[in-house]
Amino acid sequence: MHGHHARFLIFALSLVACASQDGRRGTPKPLRAPATRFSVDATFALAVIEGNYDRRALLNSPAMAAILRHRKMTGAPTDNPGGVLDKMMGRIKNPSGAAKVLQYWRGRHAKLVRCAFAARRHIPDRVSLDGKIILAAGYDIGVASPPDIVLNVAHPHFVAAPAELCHYVTHEVHHVGFLALRKIPDVSSALRTRKALMSLIRFMTQMEGTAVHAAYGPRKTAGALGADADYRVYRDQRHAEQVRRDYAIALRRLERAEVEGKFNQSLAGEVLTTLSSKDRLWYRYGALVARELEQTSGRRALVLSIRQPEPFYLMAAKLLP
């Protein structure tokens, strides 16, 4: 991720080659599986946290390019990169804490790449993953900006627990695989009709829930389930039941958002906040759905539902109280 001497670390994993028959001769013909390659780029975070940077260089960096791609993908303004950078810098409240995160991962970039590979287990085999794990500061906590991901080393969650960066890498790389097969519904149009908003909610519940679930196994192995509140649904049955009830209540509220063709955008916005950030319901309910689908139909069914989501949507409806 970061370093004077640590520019990029490239760590590649060669996947097992498949074989097919050459129809003319009947002889085996090897087929190379899609790439799974990631490098760690810490130059942006190091420059900003150490205070040794040129503003123009930051604006032209791979990190800013990835952040602007993410903003465009999610419908956020991209016409003022300088303003975006200024806001990012303003959000860095604990630079010494961020420096400790960078120090923790110095010399451990290969482990971060292995954390990226951990997502492969829940991504269709034929999806190629070939990008950068970019360490930045001041933007969100972690975002997918295919083919790359961007992580905010200055975020309080990582400052408190630097090892958490690994599991967020797994989460965001899963998004990269998901978005290779599906496109996020247009966010701006989602607030115009209940049907469009429900389409966005179903999509986000699956994308976020399957990413939470993709990191469950590695977190459990590392003894890190308690480090992130989203994973309480796996350990606390009463909490899981409450998440199911709250998600159902949110959907019922949406039914009242459109009356006689008029859509209540204020109410819709409140529901979206509850689902996405306040109570993180589409993360937590989506994780419950992903776990149930995997337990009842197998991991392959869960993975295939990324491309063909009907089984996931059916399970999501089935789990509602």
Side-chain angles (χ1 to χ4, degrees), residues 82-93:
V84 174
L85 178 60
D86 291 340
K87 287 183 179 179
M88 290 169 57
M89 303 293 268
R91 294 189 187 108
I92 302 172
K93 304 300 184 183

Side-chain angles (χ1 to χ4, degrees), residues 87-108:
K87 287 183 179 179
M88 290 169 57
M89 303 293 268
R91 294 189 187 108
I92 302 172
K93 304 300 184 183
N94 186 357
S96 62
K100 291 178 181 178
V101 177
L102 291 171
Q103 182 59 36
Y104 178 90
W105 286 102
R106 191 184 298 274
R108 299 181 181 179

Side-chain angles (χ1 to χ4, degrees), residues 190-191 193-202 254 263 268 272:
L191 286 173
T193 67
R194 192 176 76 87
K195 181 179 179 180
L197 185 56
M198 280 303 305
S199 177
L200 175 65
I201 290 171
R202 290 185 352 156
L254 274 185
F263 191 59
L272 275 182

Side-chain angles (χ1 to χ4, degrees), residues 2 14 42 58 69 74 99 105 111 136 139 163 169 179 200 202 213 216 225 227-229 236 248 302 310:
H2 14 312
S14 299
L58 291 182
R69 285 200 310 275
T74 57
W105 286 102
K111 180 177 180 181
Y139 188 75
V169 166
L179 292 169
L200 175 65
R202 290 185 352 156
H213 188 66
Y216 168 74
L225 291 177
D228 190 305
D236 184 337
L302 175 61
E310 287 76 14

